Amino acid sequence: MALSLGEPVIETAQYAVAGSGFIADLMPGDMVSLHWDWVCDRLSAAQLHRLQHYFARHLKIANSGVEHRGAAIALE
């Protein structure tokens, strides 16, 4: 079984409380970064491209079956 992206879904996220948030003028269709259901930043086309590129790269690594010890190495 391999990890993969699921189908896109519509989600609700917070972007401001009492008029205070991280970004202004948020528009439908904006690509944004999220953290724990909070909008953190609007992504530029270049940022979105890099995110997609590195996500795909790391997904390929995760699915390659290469056994690695990750954090265990740092604990030695």
Side-chain angles (χ1 to χ4, degrees):
M1 184 171 178
L3 297 174
S4 65
L5 284 173
E7 292 298 318
V9 296
I10 295 174
E11 294 188 29
T12 301
Q14 298 288 328
Y15 71 94
V17 171
S20 294
F22 294 111
I23 60 174
D25 304 323
L26 191 61
M27 300 293 294
D30 284 348
M31 293 295 176
V32 297
S33 61
L34 296 172
H35 181 69
W36 290 89
D37 296 329
W38 277 92
V39 175
C40 298
D41 204 357
R42 182 181 291 110
L43 299 177
S44 68
Q47 289 170 320
L48 180 60
H49 174 75
R50 284 192 300 273
L51 177 62
Q52 292 168 327
H53 169 79
Y54 286 107
F55 183 86
R57 178 180 174 182
H58 287 93
L59 192 61
K60 183 177 179 181
I61 292 168
N63 287 327
S64 70
V66 174
E67 187 174 326
H68 59 84
R69 297 178 23 189
I73 293 171
L75 297 174
E76 290 180 347

